[in-house]
């Protein structure tokens, strides 16, 4: 069974700070997803990675397949970035296996 | 209009009742999924379907059943609801032909079983 561990579980930071959220998994995967869950509950997909690095606006996601590790970075963080960030992996042909999420609060 | 819709959005029911949660999508995707989310446990896969004739159990399928009535519709049933099925339920779709298998989530259904 593929375990997905995220750290930290909770993170509070000041506006403008550089944020890093980490995700580690235990077995081989074909892809990794980063999701954002808004305070109202809705979930949106941010990135899907199978190698390397992707950037979208102030968000950057990286993955190291050999080390079974991915990071999500937020530059120049803003209160509207406050959300739960969820890492999910694709271990095979089935649906996703999820981490428990990182609850991020950005204070003005 | 939202691409993935779920009905109802909220439901309170009693132990032993049969409940159906419905999911519809306008994205034309073949793949559909049902997940539940519990505080402290994260999202877990209940059932998934890769096309109308394909239904597969996920990690926590016991106590649930599904029906894929059409490419656009995927329903989740609780045959006899119990309190530990109280959770937030999400439907999602994906299209592997996009090359990313990005999942698109519905808004969620908050189910409370008393």
């Amino acid at each position: 069974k593929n375990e997905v561990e995220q750290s930290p579980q909770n993170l509070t930071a000041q506006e403008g700070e550089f944020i890093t959220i980490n995700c580690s998994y235990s077995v081989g995967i074909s892809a990794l997803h980063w999701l954002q869950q808004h305070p109202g509950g809705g979930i949106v997909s941010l990135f899907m990675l199978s190698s390397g690095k992707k950037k979208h606006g102030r968000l950057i996601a990286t993955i190291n397949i050999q080390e079974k590790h991915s990071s999500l970075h937020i530059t120049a963080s803003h209160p509207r970035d406050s959300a739960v960030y969820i890492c999910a992996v694709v271990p095979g042909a089935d649906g996703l296996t999820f981490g428990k999420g990182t609850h991020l609060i950005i204070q003005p | 209009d939202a691409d993935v819709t779920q009905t109802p959005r909220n439901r309170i029911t009693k132990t032993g009742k049969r409940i159906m949660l419905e999911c519809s999508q306008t994205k034309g995707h073949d793949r559909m999924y049902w997940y539940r989310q519990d505080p402290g446990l994260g999202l877990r896969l209940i059932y998934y379907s890769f096309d109308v004739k394909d239904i597969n159990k996920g990690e926590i399928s016991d106590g649930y059943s599904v029906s894929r009535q059409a490419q656009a519709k995927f329903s989740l049933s609780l045959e006899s609801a119990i309190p530990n099925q109280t959770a937030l339920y999400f439907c999602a779709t994906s299209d592997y032909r996009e090359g990313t298998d990005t999942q698109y989530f519905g808004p969620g259904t908050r189910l409370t079983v008393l």
Side-chain angles (χ1 to χ4, degrees):
Chain A
K1 186 175 183 290
N2 199 3
E3 300 293 333
V4 180
E5 298 289 335
Q6 286 187 235
S7 63
Q9 292 184 4
N10 297 282
L11 177 58
T12 299
Q14 296 298 312
E15 183 173 357
E17 288 189 34
F18 182 81
I19 303 298
T20 296
I21 299 170
N22 296 299
C23 175
S24 297
Y25 51 92
S26 58
V27 299
I29 63 171
S30 59
L32 181 144
H33 296 253
W34 280 102
L35 310 170
Q36 180 191 54
Q37 185 168 24
H38 299 292
I43 299 174
V44 296
S45 180
L46 298 174
F47 296 103
M48 193 284 293
L49 295 162
S50 55
S51 65
K53 176 180 176 179
K54 287 189 175 180
K55 183 175 189 292
H56 184 254
R58 295 180 293 106
L59 301 178
I60 303 166
T62 64
I63 188 168
N64 185 317
I65 295 293
Q66 288 74 28
E67 295 185 3
K68 296 184 173 62
H69 181 268
S70 176
S71 293
L72 176 69
H73 304 286
I74 304 174
T75 62
S77 59
H78 190 275
R80 65 175 175 265
D81 297 324
S82 298
V84 177
Y85 292 84
I86 301 169
C87 170
V89 300
V90 186
D94 302 340
L96 303 179
T97 299
F98 298 85
K100 295 179 181 180
T102 294
H103 188 191
L104 175 65
I105 297 173
I106 304 297
Q107 295 179 335
Chain B
D1 286 340
D3 294 319
V4 184
T5 57
Q6 292 182 231
T7 56
R9 294 292 311 278
N10 290 281
R11 181 73 185 267
I12 300 173
T13 191
K14 295 182 178 180
T15 298
K17 294 291 187 181
R18 185 178 188 274
I19 298 297
M20 179 179 287
L21 309 182
E22 299 187 349
C23 177
S24 295
Q25 53 117 344
T26 59
K27 299 190 73 66
H29 289 170
D30 288 329
R31 297 183 171 189
M32 298 187 74
Y33 309 81
W34 275 105
Y35 298 99
R36 67 176 277 178
Q37 186 178 39
D38 299 274
L41 294 179
L43 286 149
R44 291 178 291 168
L45 179 64
I46 306 172
Y47 271 95
Y48 62 102
S49 169
F50 284 175
D51 65 43
V52 175
K53 297 180 181 179
D54 176 75
I55 301 289
N56 303 280
K57 292 183 177 181
E59 180 186 354
I60 52 164
S61 59
D62 287 349
Y64 301 94
S65 62
V66 291
S67 173
R68 185 83 183 265
Q69 302 95 321
Q71 186 201 40
K73 295 185 183 295
F74 192 36
S75 299
L76 176 72
S77 293
L78 287 66
E79 298 301 325
S80 179
I82 56 177
N84 76 1
Q85 291 177 313
T86 293
L88 187 55
Y89 290 83
F90 287 98
C91 172
T93 75
S94 71
D95 186 358
Y96 193 71
R97 291 170 297 178
E98 290 181 354
T100 66
D101 209 22
T102 296
Q103 301 220 342
Y104 299 86
F105 286 80
T109 294
R110 188 168 298 278
L111 177 66
T112 302
V113 183
L114 302 176

